Amino acid sequence: MLFRQGNSSVVDKIERTHRKLFTIGLDYGTNSVRCVVVDTTNGRELGTSVYEYPSGQAGILLDPADHNLARQNPADYLKGLETTINQAMKQAKKTDASFDPAKVIGIGVDTTGSTPIPVDADGTPLAMKDQFRDNLNAYVWLWKDHTGYAEAAQITALAKKEHPEYLDKCGGTYSSEWFFSKILHCLRSDPEVFDAAYTWVEHADWITGILTGTEHPDKIKRCRCAAGHKAFYNDGWGGYPSEDFLVKLDPKLGKLHKTLSGKTSAVDEKAGDLTKDWAAKLGLKAGIPVAMGAFDCHLGAIGAGVAPGRMVKVLGTSTCDVMVSDPSKSLKDIPGVCGIVDGSVIPSSFGIEAGQSAVGDIFNWFVNYIQPGGEKEGSHAALTKKASKLKPGQSGLLALDWNNGNRTVLVDQRLTGLLIGQTLHTRPEEIYRALVEATAFGALTIINRIEEYGVAISEVVNCGGIAEKSPMVMQIYADILGREMKVSRSAQTCALGSAIAAAVVAGSANGGYDDFYSAQEAMTGVKDLVFKPIPENQTVYAKLYKLYKQLHDSFGIAGNSIGLANVMKDLLDIKESCQE
Amino acid sequence: MLFRQGNSSVVDKIERTHRKLFTIGLDYGTNSVRCVVVDTTNGRELGTSVYEYPSGQAGILLDPADHNLARQNPADYLKGLETTINQAMKQAKKTDASFDPAKVIGIGVDTTGSTPIPVDADGTPLAMKDQFRDNLNAYVWLWKDHTGYAEAAQITALAKKEHPEYLDKCGGTYSSEWFFSKILHCLRSDPEVFDAAYTWVEHADWITGILTGTEHPDKIKRCRCAAGHKAFYNDGWGGYPSEDFLVKLDPKLGKLHKTLSGKTSAVDEKAGDLTKDWAAKLGLKAGIPVAMGAFDCHLGAIGAGVAPGRMVKVLGTSTCDVMVSDPSKSLKDIPGVCGIVDGSVIPSSFGIEAGQSAVGDIFNWFVNYIQPGGEKEGSHAALTKKASKLKPGQSGLLALDWNNGNRTVLVDQRLTGLLIGQTLHTRPEEIYRALVEATAFGALTIINRIEEYGVAISEVVNCGGIAEKSPMVMQIYADILGREMKVSRSAQTCALGSAIAAAVVAGSANGGYDDFYSAQEAMTGVKDLVFKPIPENQTVYAKLYKLYKQLHDSFGIAGNSIGLANVMKDLLDIKESCQE
């Protein structure tokens, strides 16, 4: 029942015209890489494998002295590539005896981002060179690394002055999570690494480069979605930001410009063909196409059936809210929305990306760091069980969802959490529920902003672990967002999206598809269980949202009349001065 | 070393002029009653006994449907009276063979308050009558019962209009914790109990009435400190508020007026003499004097050596900050300070009482309700160990200490807690420390207010469990209050204060003292260990206090320009409407 087919006449047609062929989708997440082997006729996942990155803490290299720092080891990516593809194919064979590696017609890849890697002139990550083995700055700068917050502010300020058009496409503020903030911070804080890097490549581009033998900086193809959403790339101004702009940020940054091509590739294009070496390692046919890489949330959106009017929320440690524009309507810039990029998700539309810097991470923080509830009552399951029995408003608590800053619509990484309403009777499950509600209020703030700028959102399809596992979270989201919450049929929409991209680059002539919508029609769907808003809950949440918005604006918007926007920043300043 | 004597020449003189005699001090706290047997020559506690009230949860009768409700069983008080006096005297005999019950020259009593008890025309608590055995409204209305918050607001409003002088003496706002708020709430919510009550007597007055056979409403003596601090009593306007005022609150309340005498008694007066019956039960001499009862914090202040310029902080679940005025200076009304009452602490001075509605209760809430830190790391001891290693400001956290409302200087029980600055790395010990700091910022706000109105505070003597047990809390208080924190020599200053009152009512002719200061000189002292402000901590805390004050004023003061004072109240309104 959970595996509902798409429109059956379409499926019939597809099944008539397609032989049973397969694609591989790779999904590089924050803590692990996942691989799926997918039946292109119906999207069924025949084999799955997950590889937890062995380095650091849950795959992340941390610096106890600097909580903003988050790095990864590129060697983990390669080991994960080989391990998961082999294991997923083994499982596929068990699930369906007709599976044969020779019937794999393409590979797709998604990764987190902006997650740039400093590489030398041969394309080798500096972290893989002996000289830099002990230097975290030479490793991969994971999306959630916020060390470049000062540089982000500088980039925003310069762009505001010299190139406001750059900012219009990325919500008005350049984030510390993005490409140039990280590189400029490296330049400032570790010139040795900066100087040793010939260029910086996104994680997604490096993987597709490796698989197709195009990882050399002269050959590497850079994907539209990373460049457009995180590196000011736009065809309208001829590609990446001007050399002049980079020089003004820092003369040394200017040298990077020549290594950035004026052209990027969308996800319906090939990065190249699988090399003989990798084909041998993986037991696949050499020469099958590898799709351009893309960010996990973009391919997740495809795997969940994103379309005009249908937002996809990838609910994970953080959240990615992905929309595509209606090509028949004009599209305005939307202040505070991370990125609006032509063809970054579906080639015929503008991709619109928003998101929250932490969602599941906030719940995980409460469970893993605060460890409430003593010995037995503090797991996600135990807290959820009790929290789901509470009525909206019953706890008297209200929280802001800013424990990791605010990505949309305030675009301010230096905001922090807030909880209000505690009494001497407040219990852990009440706080847990307040944190869930806070993330939903944050999500509503994003939807409201996008709709205010003329992009209607009639449907929300959720995917990711939280959507899968927590009916309570989904019901709260339905009540607060005032919309039906649907859940993607696939439990691994990102990897499925990569597999769909692989089917599209393979093309119908080779048993794939010629465009994303027809591939989605056959390969995606939603579960039967739909979470509907409950009117009495909506009434209470409407009142709570007014208060959320009051706190949001008071603490989040500098220069407003309420004047509390200094508090969180001043606390951080004091905190930092204590650590000097 | 910890048992330091007072001025030695004075002690010599006292020891020369006094035979070795003893008094008994009883201290009725929130969860238990404690008794000490004290050597009047030097304040040494020879015997101690504690009786945990057996009823309800830790002695408190609760209503799961109404967190504002907190009641007690008067039978627990009587059982505790007999049990603890007998046990403490047994221990005294073991400690000092010269102890003899016949050498006990007086008894003193303190209790929590305002903790009124509805009694019938014979002075019997309604809770002890079969008819009301199952009705919580017939029991003792414990100080921390906040069910009368709406009535408190009504009383404040009427007094503002008709008798602003009433409010001037109690900080400008009548609290839900106080006498008439509770009685009026009973009248409104349970007329049957209200009608059955001939009058209401404070816990302290009921105990001294019982011991001296004066519990009958015609004979009962009411203590100055409860009447003055919690029931608008003032000799200036002829005693209790006018009948007219009570009638305007509710015609039925007017009938109470005739049961309230126009006279009250200070703590240096006798309530009466110990009855034969009780003398027999306790093995004491009949006819020894029983001092007027008083609130625990007032007698605690005496036991800790309160004097002009020397504030005593009784640090417990809540906090009582007690001062006495310098009789040589005029004293202004101090807005937001709970009470300024002639002779309520030391007969020759005005007693000034301020306090925080929750201090230890906030730390207990975090430990017992939130139960952070998993299996092993969540005790007060474990959290304190880690928190004491943190530097001021290092966590980036800031809290408000309002989990049980704000008693001074905002006088608003309907304020709630707030925590700001959480990140994904925030740890339990950081929150614990932020909660401790919040209570210290609240304490500083009180001191600043009192000093702004011309009452200098040069010295702070702390007593109560927290002062005894937590050097970390004391150091944080020293750093934030910017004053040396001294700790009372006695671990049970409230009970010691009661024993001092007993020695004063006995008088020097009977081996006691003729006034409080000479009794304090002999019987009290501070520990050698004094906590001194650390300048670098003070610098950081000065910055944090500015932010605390900003939050305090924004969320706590209605009608100010910042306009967030609605948030906590609106959340409570929503919470209450959910429970209807």
Side-chain angles (χ1 to χ4, degrees):
Chain A
M1 281 306 286
L2 291 180
F3 195 80
R4 199 172 57 183
Q5 298 296 348
N7 179 306
S8 61
S9 68
V10 174
V11 173
D12 290 349
K13 182 175 139 239
I14 289 164
E15 290 192 337
R16 274 199 308 278
T17 57
H18 281 77
R19 289 162 294 146
K20 198 156 185 181
L21 295 170
F22 306 92
T23 54
I24 285 175
L26 284 161
D27 165 38
Y28 283 91
T30 300
N31 310 108
S32 60
V33 52
R34 177 182 300 267
C35 174
V36 291
V37 174
V38 172
D39 180 338
T40 56
T41 59
N42 56 14
R44 196 164 164 222
E45 292 143 22
L46 302 178
T48 303
S49 166
V50 178
Y51 176 80
E52 310 280 345
Y53 305 140
S55 302
Q57 191 175 317
I60 307 175
L61 305 165
L62 300 170
D63 177 356
D66 183 359
H67 283 151
N68 286 316
L69 187 146
R71 306 286 157 80
Q72 291 194 317
N73 186 349
D76 292 354
Y77 300 158
L78 296 185
K79 183 87 174 99
L81 180 63
E82 205 175 331
T83 308
T84 57
I85 292 182
N86 279 316
Q87 285 180 352
M89 289 201 299
K90 252 188 222 164
Q91 200 190 50
K93 185 72 192 170
K94 277 190 204 159
T95 309
D96 184 340
S98 78
F99 173 77
D100 176 354
K103 292 183 186 170
V104 172
I105 59 171
I107 299 176
V109 178
D110 70 74
T111 68
T112 67
S114 175
T115 300
I117 312 172
V119 300
D120 70 9
D122 296 325
T124 304
L126 298 186
M128 291 179 159
K129 303 179 80 154
D130 278 346
Q131 173 189 3
F132 290 109
R133 201 166 294 274
D134 297 327
N135 187 337
L136 283 180
N137 297 323
Y139 281 71
V140 184
W141 292 50
L142 186 62
W143 66 274
K144 62 154 106 175
D145 185 292
H146 291 153
T147 52
Y149 65 83
E151 288 76 12
Q154 193 200 341
I155 294 169
T156 300
L158 184 67
K160 209 167 262 174
K161 197 171 136 219
E162 308 254 333
H163 289 282
E165 73 279 13
Y166 291 0
L167 292 177
D168 290 342
K169 303 297 171 198
C170 71
T173 307
Y174 197 79
S175 163
S176 62
E177 291 185 359
W178 298 350
F179 195 67
F180 292 115
S181 302
K182 285 168 169 160
I183 298 171
L184 186 54
H185 184 70
C186 179
L187 183 160
R188 297 265 160 77
S189 60
D190 195 341
E192 196 192 341
V193 166
F194 180 83
D195 292 341
Y198 175 75
T199 192
W200 294 63
V201 298
E202 284 285 347
H203 178 186
D205 299 333
W206 186 64
I207 299 294
T208 57
I210 289 282
L211 287 172
T212 61
T214 61
E215 76 271 29
H216 193 282
D218 294 344
K219 294 191 215 157
I220 197 155
K221 288 171 86 171
R222 296 183 188 258
C223 68
R224 172 78 49 85
C225 91
H229 283 283
K230 314 292 179 188
F232 282 152
Y233 179 95
N234 192 300
D235 285 333
W237 51 76
Y240 282 96
S242 70
E243 184 171 357
D244 178 58
F245 180 80
L246 297 181
V247 167
K248 278 187 181 153
L249 287 170
D250 195 292
K252 283 174 73 181
L253 194 64
K255 78 162 196 176
L256 195 68
H257 193 265
K258 69 171 191 302
T259 71
L260 299 170
S261 145
K263 197 176 150 296
T264 55
S265 306
V267 69
D268 59 340
E269 296 173 53
K270 283 202 308 189
D273 302 322
L274 188 67
T275 64
K276 281 186 188 165
D277 281 358
W278 275 98
K281 263 189 227 179
L282 300 170
L284 292 167
K285 281 205 298 195
I288 59 170
V290 176
M292 280 305 298
F295 286 158
D296 41 11
C297 57
H298 295 177
L299 284 173
I302 286 172
V306 71
R310 186 192 293 151
M311 173 185 264
V312 171
K313 286 183 77 70
V314 187
L315 282 169
T317 53
S318 69
T319 294
C320 213
D321 300 341
V322 182
M323 306 263 310
V324 292
S325 66
D326 178 344
S328 70
K329 291 187 183 163
S330 74
L331 182 63
K332 295 182 213 168
D333 296 326
I334 307 173
V337 169
C338 320
I340 299 177
V341 176
D342 193 6
S344 67
V345 179
I346 296 237
S348 55
S349 291
F350 281 85
I352 303 171
E353 186 194 327
Q356 293 167 269
S357 309
V359 173
D361 263 352
I362 298 183
F363 317 151
N364 287 336
W365 160 73
F366 189 60
V367 167
N368 299 327
Y369 277 71
I370 303 306
Q371 293 182 270
E375 214 169 316
K376 288 179 183 169
E377 302 292 324
S379 66
H380 285 289
L383 289 166
T384 298
K385 191 174 169 190
K386 288 187 171 179
S388 61
K389 288 179 189 147
L390 298 169
K391 285 188 283 186
Q394 192 186 336
S395 70
L397 294 175
L398 183 62
L400 289 174
D401 50 319
W402 300 349
N403 290 37
N404 195 26
N406 176 299
R407 191 187 293 157
T408 315
V409 299
L410 298 170
V411 200
D412 189 342
Q413 288 303 337
R414 275 168 65 82
L415 294 170
T416 57
L418 183 148
L419 180 68
I420 192 168
Q422 301 92 310
T423 70
L424 296 175
H425 303 275
T426 298
R427 300 193 56 86
E429 63 270 20
E430 295 178 314
I431 297 178
Y432 191 77
R433 186 174 175 116
L435 295 174
V436 170
E437 291 167 346
T439 65
F441 291 136
L444 177 59
T445 307
I446 294 171
I447 286 181
N448 286 348
R449 174 63 59 90
I450 293 173
E451 288 212 320
E452 280 160 21
Y453 283 78
V455 180
I457 297 170
S458 55
E459 226 183 315
V460 179
V461 177
N462 297 277
C463 54
I466 294 171
E468 286 288 316
K469 285 180 220 152
S470 181
M472 178 188 77
V473 173
M474 284 295 94
Q475 185 59 53
I476 289 172
Y477 273 56
D479 293 338
I480 290 179
L481 302 187
R483 288 162 173 85
E484 290 187 355
M485 291 296 118
K486 297 176 179 171
V487 179
S488 164
R489 189 178 68 195
S490 168
Q492 26 226 6
T493 49
C494 298
L496 174 61
S498 293
I500 290 173
V504 171
V505 291
S508 64
N510 297 306
Y513 298 90
D514 287 331
D515 66 87
F516 276 97
Y517 289 125
S518 52
Q520 282 181 316
E521 183 75 41
M523 295 173 74
T524 73
V526 297
K527 293 189 180 182
D528 287 340
L529 182 61
V530 172
F531 297 86
K532 295 183 178 161
I534 297 168
E536 55 267 37
N537 293 355
Q538 286 185 276
T539 307
V540 178
Y541 280 134
K543 289 184 203 165
L544 287 173
Y545 182 65
K546 274 190 193 158
L547 297 174
Y548 172 90
K549 198 64 180 18
Q550 203 185 346
L551 294 175
H552 175 281
D553 293 353
S554 303
F555 285 96
I557 301 176
N560 72 4
S561 64
I562 295 176
L564 282 170
N566 66 302
V567 178
M568 292 172 179
K569 309 298 172 64
D570 286 356
L571 283 170
L572 290 181
D573 287 344
I574 292 168
K575 178 176 177 171
E576 278 149 22
S577 69
C578 290
Q579 285 158 353
E580 271 159 16
Chain B
M1 281 306 285
L2 290 180
F3 196 80
R4 200 172 56 182
Q5 299 296 346
N7 179 305
S8 61
S9 69
V10 174
V11 172
D12 290 350
K13 183 174 139 243
I14 290 165
E15 289 191 340
R16 274 198 308 279
T17 56
H18 282 77
R19 290 161 295 149
K20 198 156 185 180
L21 295 169
F22 306 92
T23 54
I24 284 174
L26 283 161
D27 166 37
Y28 282 92
T30 299
N31 311 109
S32 59
V33 52
R34 176 181 302 267
C35 174
V36 292
V37 173
V38 173
D39 180 338
T40 56
T41 59
N42 58 13
R44 197 164 163 223
E45 292 144 22
L46 302 178
T48 302
S49 167
V50 178
Y51 176 80
E52 310 280 345
Y53 306 140
S55 302
Q57 192 176 316
I60 307 175
L61 305 166
L62 300 170
D63 177 356
D66 183 359
H67 282 152
N68 286 315
L69 187 146
R71 305 285 156 80
Q72 291 194 317
N73 186 350
D76 292 354
Y77 300 158
L78 296 185
K79 183 87 175 100
L81 180 62
E82 204 175 331
T83 308
T84 57
I85 291 184
N86 279 316
Q87 285 180 355
M89 290 201 299
K90 252 188 221 162
Q91 201 190 50
K93 185 73 191 168
K94 277 191 204 160
T95 309
D96 183 341
S98 78
F99 173 77
D100 175 353
K103 291 184 185 170
V104 172
I105 59 171
I107 299 175
V109 178
D110 71 72
T111 68
T112 67
S114 175
T115 299
I117 312 173
V119 300
D120 69 11
D122 297 324
T124 304
L126 299 186
M128 292 181 159
K129 304 179 77 153
D130 278 347
Q131 173 188 2
F132 290 110
R133 201 167 293 275
D134 295 329
N135 187 339
L136 282 180
N137 297 323
Y139 281 71
V140 183
W141 291 50
L142 186 62
W143 66 274
K144 63 156 107 174
D145 184 293
H146 291 152
T147 51
Y149 64 85
E151 288 76 12
Q154 193 200 339
I155 294 169
T156 301
L158 184 68
K160 211 167 261 173
K161 198 172 135 219
E162 309 255 333
H163 289 283
E165 73 279 14
Y166 291 180
L167 292 176
D168 290 342
K169 301 297 170 197
C170 72
T173 307
Y174 197 79
S175 164
S176 61
E177 292 185 0
W178 298 351
F179 195 67
F180 291 116
S181 302
K182 286 169 168 159
I183 297 172
L184 187 55
H185 185 69
C186 179
L187 184 161
R188 296 267 161 76
S189 60
D190 194 341
E192 195 192 342
V193 167
F194 180 83
D195 292 340
Y198 175 76
T199 191
W200 294 63
V201 297
E202 283 286 346
H203 178 187
D205 298 334
W206 186 64
I207 299 293
T208 57
I210 289 282
L211 286 172
T212 61
T214 61
E215 76 271 29
H216 192 282
D218 294 344
K219 295 191 213 156
I220 197 154
K221 287 171 85 171
R222 295 184 189 258
C223 68
R224 173 78 48 84
C225 93
H229 283 283
K230 315 293 179 187
F232 281 151
Y233 179 95
N234 192 299
D235 286 334
W237 52 78
Y240 282 96
S242 70
E243 185 172 358
D244 177 58
F245 180 79
L246 297 182
V247 166
K248 277 190 181 152
L249 287 170
D250 195 293
K252 283 175 73 180
L253 194 64
K255 77 162 197 174
L256 195 67
H257 192 265
K258 69 170 191 302
T259 71
L260 300 171
S261 145
K263 196 176 151 296
T264 55
S265 307
V267 70
D268 58 341
E269 296 174 53
K270 284 203 306 190
D273 302 322
L274 188 66
T275 64
K276 283 186 188 163
D277 281 359
W278 275 98
K281 263 189 229 179
L282 300 170
L284 292 167
K285 281 204 299 194
I288 58 170
V290 177
M292 281 305 299
F295 286 157
D296 43 10
C297 57
H298 295 177
L299 284 173
I302 286 172
V306 71
R310 187 193 292 150
M311 173 185 264
V312 171
K313 286 183 76 69
V314 187
L315 281 168
T317 53
S318 69
T319 294
C320 213
D321 300 342
V322 182
M323 307 263 312
V324 291
S325 65
D326 179 344
S328 71
K329 290 190 182 159
S330 73
L331 182 63
K332 296 182 213 168
D333 296 327
I334 307 173
V337 168
C338 318
I340 299 178
V341 175
D342 192 7
S344 67
V345 179
I346 297 237
S348 56
S349 290
F350 281 84
I352 304 171
E353 186 194 325
Q356 293 167 269
S357 310
V359 173
D361 263 352
I362 297 183
F363 317 151
N364 287 335
W365 160 72
F366 189 59
V367 167
N368 299 327
Y369 277 72
I370 303 306
Q371 293 182 271
E375 214 169 318
K376 289 181 185 168
E377 303 292 324
S379 67
H380 285 289
L383 289 167
T384 299
K385 191 173 169 190
K386 287 187 173 180
S388 60
K389 288 179 189 147
L390 297 169
K391 285 189 282 187
Q394 192 186 335
S395 70
L397 294 175
L398 184 61
L400 289 175
D401 49 320
W402 299 349
N403 290 39
N404 195 27
N406 177 297
R407 191 187 294 158
T408 315
V409 299
L410 298 170
V411 201
D412 189 342
Q413 288 303 338
R414 275 168 64 81
L415 294 171
T416 58
L418 183 148
L419 179 68
I420 192 168
Q422 300 93 308
T423 69
L424 295 175
H425 302 275
T426 298
R427 300 193 57 87
E429 62 270 21
E430 295 178 314
I431 296 178
Y432 191 77
R433 186 173 175 116
L435 295 174
V436 170
E437 291 167 346
T439 65
F441 290 136
L444 177 58
T445 307
I446 292 171
I447 288 182
N448 287 347
R449 173 64 59 91
I450 293 173
E451 288 212 320
E452 280 160 22
Y453 283 78
V455 180
I457 297 170
S458 56
E459 227 183 314
V460 179
V461 178
N462 297 278
C463 54
I466 293 171
E468 287 288 316
K469 286 180 220 153
S470 180
M472 178 187 78
V473 173
M474 283 295 94
Q475 186 58 53
I476 289 172
Y477 273 57
D479 293 338
I480 289 179
L481 302 187
R483 287 161 173 87
E484 290 188 354
M485 291 295 117
K486 297 175 179 174
V487 178
S488 165
R489 190 178 67 194
S490 168
Q492 25 225 9
T493 49
C494 298
L496 175 61
S498 293
I500 289 172
V504 171
V505 292
S508 63
N510 298 305
Y513 298 90
D514 287 330
D515 66 87
F516 276 97
Y517 289 126
S518 51
Q520 282 180 318
E521 184 75 42
M523 296 172 74
T524 72
V526 297
K527 294 189 180 183
D528 287 339
L529 181 61
V530 171
F531 297 86
K532 296 185 177 156
I534 297 167
E536 55 268 36
N537 292 355
Q538 287 185 274
T539 308
V540 178
Y541 281 134
K543 289 184 204 165
L544 287 173
Y545 182 65
K546 273 191 194 158
L547 297 174
Y548 173 89
K549 199 63 181 20
Q550 202 184 347
L551 294 175
H552 176 280
D553 293 353
S554 303
F555 285 96
I557 301 175
N560 73 3
S561 64
I562 295 175
L564 282 170
N566 67 302
V567 178
M568 292 173 179
K569 308 300 173 63
D570 287 356
L571 283 170
L572 289 181
D573 287 344
I574 293 168
K575 179 176 177 170
E576 278 149 21
S577 69
C578 290
Q579 284 157 353
E580 274 161 13

